[in-house]
Amino acid sequence: MEVHRCRFVDYTPSAINALTFAPNTTKPVMACGRANGDIEVWNPKNEWTLEKTIPGGKNTSVEALAWAHQTVLTEDEDFWDSEREKQLAIKKLIKTPPRLFSAGLNAVVTEWDLTTLKPKRSVDSHGGAVWCMATNHANTILAVGCEDGCVRLFDIADGELAFIRSFDKQKTRILSLAWSQDDTIMITGSANSSIYKWNVELGRVQSRMTVDRVSGEDTLVWAVKFLSNGNIVSGDSLGHVKFWDGETTTMIQSFNSHGADVLCLAAARDGNTVFSSGVDRKCNQYKFVDQPAPRKNGKNGSINGKTEMVTKWVLAGSRRFHSHDVRALALDDTRNVNTLVSGGVDVSMVVCPAADFPDTNQRRLPHVPQRPIVSISKSKRLMLCRQEHGVKVWRLGKSASPVQPYSELEIGAHMDLIEPQQAILEMNFKDDRNLTASALSEDGHWIAVADIEEVKLFRIDENPTQPGQLVVKKQKSFPGVRGTGAHYLTFTPDSARLIVASTDSQVVVMDISQWEAGQFDVLRRFGQHRGTSVKDTDSMDVDGEQDNSGAAGQVETIVSMAVSADGLWLATGDLLNRIFIFNLDTLQHHATLPKFDAPLTALHFHPYSPTLVIPTASNVFYLFNVETRRLTDWSREYSSDKTFPTKFLGLKDKILGIAFNPARKNTVLVWGVSYICHVDLELGVGDRNAILNVGKRKREEQAEEVNFQLLHKFQNLMYVDFVGDNSLVAVELPFIKVLSSLPPSYYRASYGT
């Protein structure tokens, strides 16, 4: 088999500026804000799953993030007619999903709709760029630190986002802030070597703490935290981590443990553990522990012959997980998460068990997109890659035919190109919004792109007067989808229809075959993902009962779509793990699949049978026959975490896609960021404990029937698919390529180097 290893794709991940976990009163999710304005929502379950990405835009760098989950009622006791009514209201409040707020240098505070991924409401900060943000512990007030030196409070109780008032103005910008446990006190870190303690009710400074200065220059206090015992911890631009008495505002201890700016802090819930990191890339852990009291007159302090003990902060451990500045830390030491997360300029998040730090193994989460941004035209050998504000199309190269059969060649043997790849088209858009979806038609004549506000369609033809030159025409008569954007786009194999998964969770089927007449008809809108039932269908679910999938009234984001090779079937899946099958001939809802235990990661139809392959975050994949509305015999027997090979289930990187080799119709290629796995569907699973790595098995052992053959010769896969018999396209983004595009990291020469 020949493999086109495509490393020429222009994709640059964005730096991480902010990380924050949702309150422990709701499900464990974490938000990650990036410099390009994107906000990712991750779920720690199933070895960290990316649930959704809120698209950013130009000049919308995310500097601060905050979750809010209100669990207390704001109404007076007299408002409720009975205690039962009050308790029902509290339960309803607790079941409400958490709210996500973001802010940045564009001076706008935004609340996001986590279903449509659009701004729900926005307000001006009234003070310029926002450097920091935090909610109080009751999750009813949002505090924002601004460029003009003011802290501003916003009312977020009961779904509101409204300005309340400002604190007294300081002469320097507010870089960091934190609330006390009882929400009556706030501390702020400033750019004038000071930490201020505020009375929240009065909006005035109670006291001031001053950090060290060098050569008369102001020190920047980048991070502050309130500990559960009322004490304060700060991190500044001199690399100092200082602990302060919260009552007297006097310094308790100071650690000069960093070689450069301390940019972020994280504190454990019990207040006995603190983590710090910053420009020098070190992640330090401090613990509050008992130690022998200092010596007195050369002897240890003792009482009645017993050594006197005092409780002090100590530097307990240190690790370097990153290659560049660490800008954000997030800690969740409650529930079953127990994770410290860090991120920064080197674009990758690193997660590690917090309880075992520093003697623990860290994991670097993939820096490549978790949902492919690449699409191909197999017949025309074209490949499209989506960027933040544009798309680029390449024509794939061709290699010389090997002299000997593929089976006799060494794995990874180089094959000479007789025709190199060629970039044939690049389109950049003037819109400020980042693109959310793109698609390339099979005939190579259509490109569709979308953001959260609109869908655009372009016709690509060759210039008849200048062969080899392309002519791009935007279809101005294309109506889009009622003024909404899209989360997913795909064309049918005959290139006659465009399928749109809109931001309002509708599946829209559009006819584009009459484009020459300027006619684009909406053939059907499916509302199953909005929880609306379609009464004119007599569809049945997989158990043969009447389908009531639309009766729940739950709206959720569509994250995956697939069209069968014959253009007859359409499959769609959302974040509630609902998968619906539609018949594109009759334009009717056909079936609803059962919900699987783990979230789905993709949907793919087998090209030679009406079988839908559904990979999940647990690395178990299922095969569903859409005609018979049941799992295939192979899947019913083997698709289980109790049956699949142990080493395959243990892979940290989950399945991102499925590919099918036309030359071997009974096999599937399962791929993730770091591996490709070959599975023969005519064979069983075999020995669950077998060695699956092809590179580790000897040649004579490969003659044995071992299914699930793993190959780890690729670096950070973004996309994998076949363009012909035994002709595989693998799009890679090596981490070294990402590092080469980053600025130099901090380095301090040491003696002897």
Side-chain angles (χ1 to χ4, degrees), residues 58-135:
K58 294 179 181 177
N59 303 317
T60 60
S61 174
V62 177
E63 298 296 326
L65 289 170
W67 289 98
H69 186 236
Q70 183 181 344
T71 57
V72 295
L73 299 174
T74 56
E75 293 84 0
D76 295 331
E77 290 292 334
D78 298 338
F79 178 83
W80 307 104
D81 295 333
S82 65
E83 182 65 23
R84 183 175 181 275
E85 182 184 5
K86 179 182 176 181
Q87 293 302 320
L88 289 175
I90 293 175
K91 288 182 179 179
K92 183 179 179 181
L93 203 59
I94 293 174
K95 290 181 179 179
T96 304
R99 302 163 66 193
L100 178 62
F101 300 88
S102 72
L105 304 183
N106 62 348
V108 176
V109 179
T110 304
E111 179 186 358
W112 295 95
D113 187 316
L114 295 178
T115 300
T116 65
L117 309 186
K118 292 182 179 182
K120 194 171 185 178
R121 51 175 67 88
S122 298
V123 295
D124 193 282
S125 70
H126 305 290
V130 175
W131 290 95
C132 53
M133 185 167 60
T135 60

Side-chain angles (χ1 to χ4, degrees), residues 441-453:
S441 65
E442 179 57 31
D443 63 6
H445 287 302
W446 293 106
I447 291 177
V449 298
D451 55 30
I452 58 173
E453 296 294 342

Side-chain angles (χ1 to χ4, degrees), residues 46 50 82 97 199 250 301 381 497 539 550 659:
N46 298 296
L50 177 62
S82 65
N199 182 303
T250 56
R381 297 178 65 83
R497 296 178 179 180
S539 58

Side-chain angles (χ1 to χ4, degrees), residues 453-522:
E453 296 294 342
E454 63 177 331
V455 181
K456 299 177 182 178
L457 184 64
F458 299 87
R459 176 75 183 184
I460 315 296
D461 289 300
E462 190 170 341
N463 192 332
T465 60
Q466 296 180 331
Q469 190 174 30
L470 298 178
V471 177
V472 181
K473 291 184 179 179
K474 181 181 178 181
Q475 302 302 299
K476 296 182 179 180
S477 59
F478 180 71
V481 188
R482 288 183 182 174
T484 68
H487 293 147
Y488 209 103
L489 296 170
T490 189
F491 289 95
T492 54
D494 61 2
S495 304
R497 296 178 179 180
L498 173 65
I499 316 295
V500 180
S502 68
T503 53
D504 59 359
S505 299
Q506 289 193 81
V507 178
V508 183
V509 183
M510 307 191 71
D511 182 13
I512 60 174
S513 61
Q514 306 298 319
W515 66 274
E516 291 178 298
Q519 185 175 346
F520 299 93
D521 296 327
V522 175

Side-chain angles (χ1 to χ4, degrees), residues 564-628:
S564 61
D566 58 5
L568 179 60
W569 304 107
L570 168 68
T572 61
D574 64 23
L575 286 175
L576 289 176
N577 242 19
R578 297 177 299 189
I579 302 174
F580 300 107
I581 308 295
F582 305 97
N583 188 311
L584 292 180
D585 273 2
T586 62
L587 295 175
Q588 300 293 324
H589 175 218
H590 176 72
T592 302
L593 271 67
K595 286 189 179 182
F596 300 106
D597 294 335
L600 64 97
T601 58
L603 293 173
H604 295 274
F605 275 101
H606 196 288
Y608 305 107
S609 66
T611 303
L612 178 66
V613 184
I614 308 146
T616 65
S618 64
N619 279 353
V620 176
F621 60 86
Y622 300 85
L623 286 76
F624 181 82
N625 189 306
V626 297
E627 290 185 350
T628 62

